[in-house]
């Protein structure tokens, strides 16, 4: 068998945790091989060793049959291994070509020979169907195009093995299809690809084989064609998982949140949200769909009081909250699952127990006459930890920092739902969680709706928005492009609207 890369019986320990426990991954030449696992399963650690960022404690790495020692990423590059990271590493005011040749600039005398480099970029771009403009500036091109520039950086350096780390997190549905096409073109040209992901749909669409890791151990490698999504999910989580959320039709009640002609500036001091209007009623989930950076953060920060409003109004029940403090907004019945769990969600050096009462520590029974009642706090925190399956070493006494990302997320969601809010704003509530935790959190969001609460869901995962929303608002470039009913729309219609094509009928 002709293998481009073999990682055989790899073990890697970090203090207190075995990240990879006897893992074997064999990448055939000319295949797309998916690496699937929940958060903290050890996928990134394994790929970090192939890319020279860590060294295995035990085990062997072979390329084309011969053992290699990958001391650092430069050695990986020399061996023909390239990696497209989740967060692109591009210089924004450089052109695409300048980014691609960074560090290996071709010289003509003392000058950098941009012209010949741009020629090579154009030629490679055509060969692999990348459509890159060699002279475009990074700051002027879409996120999907930036990713292609990252791919081109590897091709320019003649990489044979390409590692894609969760490459679809920032793309529209159409860009995801394009990326899968590009990967297939790369394979036709003799490259070999490892695709790290926890999205089963994409594995089915793109991969030939799939290796599943669970809690650092290798569960097995399967042929994708003959394995269902449900079987792969079960390998990944260790139990059967349901993908469709059960929800019954409901008639929404009174309007809880009314946003009227809202304008908000973004960090660049231009309008990030333009004349935006939207209502969320009691007993409904309104999803906001769009590619990252199209006004979602500005909307959430305006409602939660973290960003100043230029004009327009935000009304919760019957009162305008434009000028209320964050604390008063929480008291008026708004809860917020933030996008960035470290910056806004948790105080990482506090215990989980203390993190659970950040918004309510000043109320009884948690404190009286300024003294904290530890027993009441513990009881309250333990309830959330149990209900939301927050796993940690020492329960409520664990320091928040020591929990995995997924468990930090479950703790935040538990805390916000436990406030029993009138309006729950959930931003990327399942970002980076595996199918098992996603299933649970979706159930809890629908339970809020069924209890007559209003839920505003903001998510980049189109499947998630379509699966649990009742109505969907599509944003592009800070504007509301249209409102559709989740039951009657489809991915195609929403995808077009996300790209800014106003076509979706506003069918309420």
């Amino acid at each position: 068998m002709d293998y481009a890369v073999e990682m055989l019986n790899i073990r890697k320990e970090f203090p207190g945790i075995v990240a990879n426990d006897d893992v074997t991954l064999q990448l055939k030449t000319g295949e797309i091989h998916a690496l699937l696992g929940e958060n903290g399963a050890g996928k990134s650690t394994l790929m970090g060793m192939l890319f020279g960022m860590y060294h295995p404690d035990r085990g062997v790495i072979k390329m084309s049959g011969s053992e290699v020692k990958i001391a650092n990423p430069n050695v990986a590059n020399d061996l023909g291994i390239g990696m497209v990271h989740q967060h692109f590493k591009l210089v924004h005011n450089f052109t695409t070509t300048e980014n691609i040749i960074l560090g290996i600039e071709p010289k003509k005398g003392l000058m950098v020979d941009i012209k010949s480099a741009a020629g090579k970029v154009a030629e490679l771009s055509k060969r692999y169907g990348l459509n890159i403009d060699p002279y475009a500036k990074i700051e002027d091109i879409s996120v999907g195009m930036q990713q292609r520039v990252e791919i081109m950086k590897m091709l320019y350096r003649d990489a044979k093995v390409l590692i894609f780390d969760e490459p679809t997190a920032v793309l529209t549905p159409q860009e995801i299809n394009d990326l899968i096409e590009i990967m297939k073109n790369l394979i036709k040209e003799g490259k070999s690809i490892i695709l790290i992901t926890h999205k089963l749909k994409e594995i089915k669409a793109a991969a030939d084989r799939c290796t599943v890791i669970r809690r650092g151990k290798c569960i097995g490698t399967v042929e994708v064609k003959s394995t269902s999504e449900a079987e792969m999910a079960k390998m990944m989580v260790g139990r059967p998982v349901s993908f469709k959320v059960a929800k019954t039709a409901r008639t929404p009640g009174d309007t809880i949140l009314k946003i009227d002609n809202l304008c908000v500036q973004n960090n660049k001091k231009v309008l990030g949200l333009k004349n935006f209007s939207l209502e969320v009623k009691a007993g409904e989930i309104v999803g906001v769909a769009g590619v990252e950076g199209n006004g979602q953060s500005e909307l959430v920060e305006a409602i939660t009081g973290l960003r100043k409003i230029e004009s327009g109004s935000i009304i919760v029940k019957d009162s305008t909250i434009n000028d209320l403090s964050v604390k008063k907004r929480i008291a008026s019945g708004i809860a917020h699952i933030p996008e960035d769990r470290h910056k806004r969600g948790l105080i990482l050096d506090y215990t989980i127990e203390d993190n659970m009462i950040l918004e309510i520590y000043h109320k009884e029974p948690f404190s009286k006459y300024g003294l904290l009642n530890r027993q009441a706090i513990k009881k309250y925190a333990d309830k959330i930890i149990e209900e939301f399956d927050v796993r940690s070493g020492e329960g409520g006494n664990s320091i928040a920092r020591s929990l995995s990302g997924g468990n930090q997320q479950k703790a935040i969601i538990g805390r916000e739902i436990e406030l029993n809010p009138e309006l729950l704003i959930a931003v990327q509530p399942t970002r980076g969680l595996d199918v098992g935790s996603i299933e649970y959190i979706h159930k809890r969001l629908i339970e809020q709706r069924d209890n007559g609460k209003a839920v505003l869901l903001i998510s980049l995962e189109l499947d998630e928005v379509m699966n649990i929303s009742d109505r969907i608002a599509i944003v592009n470039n800070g504007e509301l492009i249209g409102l559709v009913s989740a039951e009657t729309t489809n991915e195609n219609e929403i995808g077009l609207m996300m790209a800014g094509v106003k076509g979706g009928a506003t069918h309420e």
Side-chain angles (χ1 to χ4, degrees):
M1 188 66 238
D2 192 13
Y3 289 117
V5 170
E6 294 172 274
M7 302 186 76
L8 304 172
N9 311 104
I10 301 288
R11 182 182 175 88
K12 180 67 185 169
E13 275 187 74
F14 295 110
I17 180 161
V18 180
N20 290 153
D21 187 359
D22 194 30
V23 175
T24 290
L25 174 102
Q26 293 174 304
L27 172 69
K28 292 179 186 171
T29 305
E31 80 165 336
I32 299 177
H33 194 115
L35 180 58
L36 173 67
E38 38 186 6
N39 301 83
K43 307 186 293 286
S44 308
T45 305
L46 187 66
M47 287 303 102
M49 285 183 277
L50 185 54
F51 199 59
M53 280 141 66
Y54 312 114
H55 305 132
D57 301 334
R58 275 215 301 275
V60 174
I61 300 178
K62 291 180 174 181
M63 288 193 72
S64 307
S66 340
E67 188 175 336
V68 290
K69 290 266 187 275
I70 306 174
N72 57 50
N74 290 338
V75 176
N77 279 327
D78 294 343
L79 286 167
I81 300 170
M83 188 158 184
V84 175
H85 296 271
Q86 251 174 318
H87 306 289
F88 310 144
K89 301 171 179 349
L90 297 169
V91 184
H92 274 217
N93 52 354
F94 275 25
T95 64
T96 57
T97 301
E98 287 166 338
N99 270 283
I100 289 161
I101 61 176
L102 207 56
I104 52 165
E105 293 85 349
K107 294 280 202 302
K108 204 175 189 177
L110 295 172
M111 299 291 287
V112 174
D113 187 357
I114 282 285
K115 205 169 164 198
S116 78
K120 185 173 169 188
V121 167
E123 177 203 352
L124 282 167
S125 169
K126 199 169 161 195
R127 181 167 149 198
Y128 292 103
L130 290 168
N131 293 328
I132 293 172
D133 169 356
Y135 293 107
K137 276 208 165 149
I138 297 295
E139 57 198 6
D140 299 331
I141 63 178
S142 72
V143 177
M145 204 38 97
Q146 291 180 27
Q147 187 178 57
R148 293 176 186 201
V149 173
E150 285 281 8
I151 296 170
M152 176 65 81
K153 265 165 64 176
M154 302 191 299
L155 298 175
Y156 194 93
R157 288 161 175 71
D158 203 28
K160 311 264 185 300
V161 172
L162 314 182
I163 307 166
F164 286 86
D165 186 4
E166 306 232 351
T168 60
V170 289
L171 304 180
T172 66
Q174 187 48 52
E175 286 173 327
I176 292 173
N177 293 340
D178 293 347
L179 175 69
I180 290 174
E181 241 355 83
I182 288 168
M183 286 193 198
K184 290 183 170 164
N185 287 342
L186 290 163
I187 293 301
K188 278 189 203 124
E189 296 280 343
K191 309 286 183 198
S192 311
I193 294 177
I194 297 176
L195 170 63
I196 308 174
T197 181
H198 49 233
K199 296 189 188 172
L200 297 157
K201 199 163 109 192
E202 285 156 23
I203 293 182
K204 283 301 273 185
D208 301 301
R209 292 190 306 149
C210 172
T211 294
V212 184
I213 317 186
R214 183 164 83 234
R215 302 206 175 171
K217 287 185 164 53
C218 194
I219 302 299
T221 298
V222 295
E223 294 286 338
V224 171
K225 268 197 184 62
S226 55
T227 314
S228 70
E229 285 186 35
E231 288 169 279
M232 288 193 271
K234 192 175 173 189
M235 288 174 76
M236 167 158 110
V237 183
R239 62 176 178 80
V241 177
S242 117
F243 294 106
K244 270 283 169 248
V245 191
K247 65 182 218 264
T248 47
R250 300 272 321 230
T251 312
D254 301 339
T255 298
I256 300 289
L257 171 69
K258 184 175 184 213
I259 298 168
D260 194 23
N261 264 324
L262 190 63
C263 291
V264 184
Q265 283 193 355
N266 63 16
N267 295 341
K268 291 185 175 150
K269 297 283 178 270
V270 294
L271 287 181
L273 203 61
K274 306 167 193 141
N275 299 327
F276 190 91
S277 300
L278 185 66
E279 291 190 5
V280 187
K281 299 183 170 73
E284 75 165 343
I285 298 178
V286 173
V288 176
V291 181
E292 194 158 11
N294 276 280
Q296 296 97 320
S297 315
E298 289 81 3
L299 172 64
V300 171
E301 288 172 4
I303 302 172
T304 50
L306 299 169
R307 189 175 284 265
K308 181 167 130 300
I309 294 167
E310 297 303 313
S311 62
S313 58
I314 301 173
I315 299 155
V316 171
K317 291 191 278 195
D318 297 313
S319 2
T320 305
I321 61 164
N322 289 20
D323 302 320
L324 292 187
S325 68
V326 173
K327 198 169 180 178
K328 285 199 171 124
R329 291 185 199 213
I330 293 170
S332 78
I334 299 178
H336 173 211
I337 299 165
E339 174 172 25
D340 185 329
R341 48 184 170 241
H342 291 163
K343 263 213 290 248
R344 301 244 192 267
L346 296 168
I347 300 178
L348 291 174
D349 293 323
Y350 278 20
T351 61
I352 286 298
E353 215 164 84
D354 286 346
N355 269 294
M356 291 304 98
I357 55 150
L358 290 176
E359 294 123 323
I360 46 173
Y361 66 88
H362 53 287
K363 294 186 178 162
E364 292 196 10
F366 308 111
S367 63
K368 207 169 182 175
Y369 313 125
L371 292 173
L372 289 176
N373 173 348
R374 293 307 322 179
Q375 213 175 339
I377 293 171
K378 179 178 179 355
K379 191 175 156 196
Y380 184 79
D382 284 347
K383 180 180 174 220
I384 296 176
I385 289 169
E386 187 180 345
E387 275 189 27
F388 285 81
D389 185 30
V390 180
R391 297 182 200 170
S392 62
E394 305 165 46
N397 285 326
S398 305
I399 301 296
R401 188 182 297 285
S402 70
L403 271 62
S404 75
N407 283 306
Q408 290 176 353
Q409 185 72 354
K410 287 193 265 187
I412 294 169
I413 291 174
R415 175 186 71 202
E416 297 303 312
I417 284 181
E418 204 54 40
L419 290 172
N420 195 18
E422 294 296 318
L423 168 66
L424 175 63
I425 301 169
V427 190
Q428 294 280 49
T430 59
R431 185 177 213 166
L433 297 184
D434 54 80
V435 282
S437 308
I438 290 173
E439 175 191 37
Y440 180 74
I441 282 158
H442 285 173
K443 272 190 196 140
R444 298 304 302 251
L445 291 174
I446 284 170
E447 184 180 278
Q448 287 293 300
R449 156 199 186 257
D450 292 348
N451 291 341
K453 309 293 189 182
V455 180
L456 179 64
L457 166 72
I458 292 164
S459 170
L460 303 178
E461 296 290 348
L462 194 46
D463 282 353
E464 171 163 83
V465 174
M466 291 178 71
N467 208 348
I468 65 171
S469 308
D470 299 299
R471 293 188 300 140
I472 301 171
I474 295 96
V475 291
N476 175 275
N477 204 9
E479 295 178 43
L480 180 68
I481 297 287
L483 264 169
V484 295
S485 142
E487 271 181 43
T488 52
T489 188
N490 57 46
E491 205 166 288
N492 210 11
E493 179 181 36
I494 295 184
L496 282 170
M497 291 165 80
M498 278 165 70
V501 182
K502 287 192 165 105
T506 308
H507 43 97
E508 288 286 299

